[in-house]
Amino acid sequence: MRHDLLSKLDIRYPIIQAPMAGVSTPALAAAVSNAGGLGSIAVGTVNAQQARAAIATVREKTDRPFNVNVFTHAPAHSDPAREAAWLDWLRPHFARFGAEPPAALSEIYRSFLADEAMFQLLLEERPAVVSFHFGLPPQAWIDALKAAGIVLFTTATSLDEAVRIEAAGIDVIVAQGIEAGGHRGMFDPAQPDPALPTFELLEQLLDKVSLPLVAAGGIMDGRQIRTAFYHGASAVQMGSAFIACPESSAPPHHRALIAQGEGLRTELSAVISGRPARGIVNKLFSEIGAEGHPPLPDYPITYDAAKALHAAASSKGNQDYSVNWGGTNFAQARALPAGELVATLAAEMNEAA
Ligand SMILES: Cc1cc2nc3c(=O)[nH]c(=O)nc-3n(C[C@H](O)[C@H](O)[C@H](O)COP(=O)(O)O)c2cc1C
């Protein structure tokens, strides 16, 4: 299966650099693809025009295959009363920096499900791979993208999601464990979360679905890549491992926390964006998410508030409200150029037998 996937994707190593909205860049994706892995860009938070420009930039830097990732969450519904209550809850935090909360919140980016222009763009640009996070798009879009020769990936966090992905005719399942940094790709955050660690999720899916599985969550080195293969993965998708690469757009504070590592830990919380996501714990987690907080606005409307609060704080030189997504093993990230990191991982993977 592993060799089939490598030839299907036309890549040398079963190493996928995770799409990371706000952190991965065309330069990062191209460096990974040039080194024999599969680079990814995340266009979930930008419009079709910006996605077109990002794809063109990758293509200027590589002629190797790469992945374009979109967010397929249920489109947000605005609820002005809920949003006003949330802003009120945040008011004392803004006040620390002599600021007022914004007058209102907005849906800061659109779901792929409501973005026909992005669908048309993907059909025209035909990247080698398109990946979906947070659910499945309409069947007609899946069929059209496949007919255009694009290999389709979708994230699953449970057996139920994996079965639905397979039934929809997707090519590859990204099995995302609870250790993973960033947003949990669960289809419906209102449903109970089995919260399975990556290798347990692989074991659960292995006998029940026949699609190739890509392991995501907590994988930082070649030995862990081998372990993922042992548990049935055909490839791995690594996010946190690539944040510290010079080609990422991670801000200096995020890099400093990774370098520090010691004494820091991650948690999953929905209070930052409106959907569960894992990041390095700071006041966003501990205070905004304190017990008794009001109901959250829809994803990503909630995120607008966190970004405004971070802007107010950082304008006064305070980073207590910065968003630093990362998996449980984030501190093992190596600040190597991405091509060198891929070569190192491949060498470790082969020697760890
Ligand atoms: C900073 C960051 C941003 C992320 N953004 C996205 C994204 O835009 N799309 C996506 O499908 N996954 C995203 N993820 C999740 C990754 O695809 C992957 O599941 C995760 O990084 C794996 O866990 P690891 O960080 O322990 O390697 C993100 C992860 C991180 C760390």
Side-chain angles (χ1 to χ4, degrees):
M1 192 82 106
R2 193 171 344 143
H3 299 288
D4 290 354
L5 184 62
L6 290 179
S7 56
K8 190 181 182 87
L9 299 177
D10 188 23
I11 57 175
R12 182 164 174 209
Y13 302 122
I15 298 172
I16 299 167
Q17 163 254 315
M20 294 183 281
V23 169
S24 56
T25 61
L28 180 65
V32 170
S33 291
N34 282 332
L38 184 73
S40 304
I41 53 169
V43 301
T45 56
V46 302
N47 63 30
Q49 216 182 333
Q50 293 164 306
R52 191 188 293 280
I55 291 170
T57 308
V58 181
R59 288 194 165 134
E60 278 164 21
K61 297 175 190 295
T62 187
D63 55 6
R64 303 303 305 152
F66 61 95
N67 166 34
V68 179
N69 172 258
V70 292
F71 290 150
T72 38
H73 54 283
H77 291 293
S78 174
D79 176 345
R82 199 161 21 121
E83 289 149 23
W86 185 247
L87 287 171
D88 248 10
W89 167 256
L90 299 182
R91 188 174 296 279
H93 296 278
F94 280 94
R96 281 186 61 191
F97 308 103
E100 285 281 316
L105 295 174
S106 64
E107 182 185 11
I108 50 177
Y109 44 83
R110 198 191 273 192
S111 169
F112 180 63
L113 306 190
D115 197 350
E116 171 89 33
M118 188 72 84
F119 165 64
Q120 292 300 341
L121 166 90
L122 293 175
L123 272 183
E124 280 170 37
E125 292 288 340
R126 289 200 222 181
V129 176
V130 166
S131 66
F132 305 120
H133 200 55
F134 301 140
L136 290 161
Q139 191 63 48
W141 288 14
I142 294 175
D143 297 344
L145 292 167
K146 272 188 81 167
I150 301 169
V151 178
L152 300 179
F153 288 21
T154 303
T155 307
T157 59
S158 68
L159 175 59
D160 173 60
E161 289 168 356
V163 168
R164 288 161 65 186
I165 291 167
E166 183 159 69
I170 298 290
D171 302 288
V172 175
I173 294 172
V174 179
Q176 189 197 36
I178 195 73
E179 301 93 329
H183 283 85
R184 234 162 126 59
M186 53 191 10
F187 289 14
D188 179 0
Q191 294 300 313
D193 180 358
L196 293 171
T198 305
F199 298 150
E200 279 179 46
L201 178 62
L202 288 173
E203 297 274 349
Q204 263 207 17
L205 304 190
L206 198 53
D207 298 335
K208 306 278 180 13
V209 291
S210 53
L211 294 182
L213 303 175
V214 172
I219 300 169
M220 307 297 290
D221 64 24
R223 187 183 51 79
Q224 293 157 342
I225 296 174
R226 297 279 307 198
T227 312
F229 297 156
Y230 172 80
H231 288 279
S234 294
V236 295
Q237 177 162 305
M238 304 166 66
S240 298
F242 286 95
I243 300 177
C245 294
E247 296 92 338
S248 92
S249 54
H253 181 66
H254 198 170
R255 293 178 191 274
L257 294 179
I258 292 171
Q260 177 189 341
E262 181 111 7
L264 301 174
R265 63 188 181 84
T266 66
E267 240 173 51
L268 263 177
S269 174
V271 297
I272 296 165
S273 71
R275 265 183 167 265
R278 184 179 293 283
I280 303 171
V281 174
N282 61 10
K283 285 199 194 309
L284 279 180
F285 290 75
S286 56
E287 294 187 7
I288 306 298
E291 218 168 304
H293 69 72
L296 300 171
D298 277 8
Y299 172 86
I301 297 174
T302 306
Y303 215 168
D304 194 16
K307 285 177 190 279
L309 180 53
H310 170 59
S314 72
S315 75
K316 297 272 153 61
N318 178 299
Q319 294 297 326
D320 291 349
Y321 299 86
S322 54
V323 176
N324 306 290
W325 301 132
T328 49
N329 293 336
F330 76 92
Q332 293 171 30
R334 291 169 275 195
L336 292 174
E340 230 175 278
L341 179 56
V342 171
T344 304
L345 292 166
E348 289 172 351
M349 173 181 97
N350 289 327
E351 81 198 10

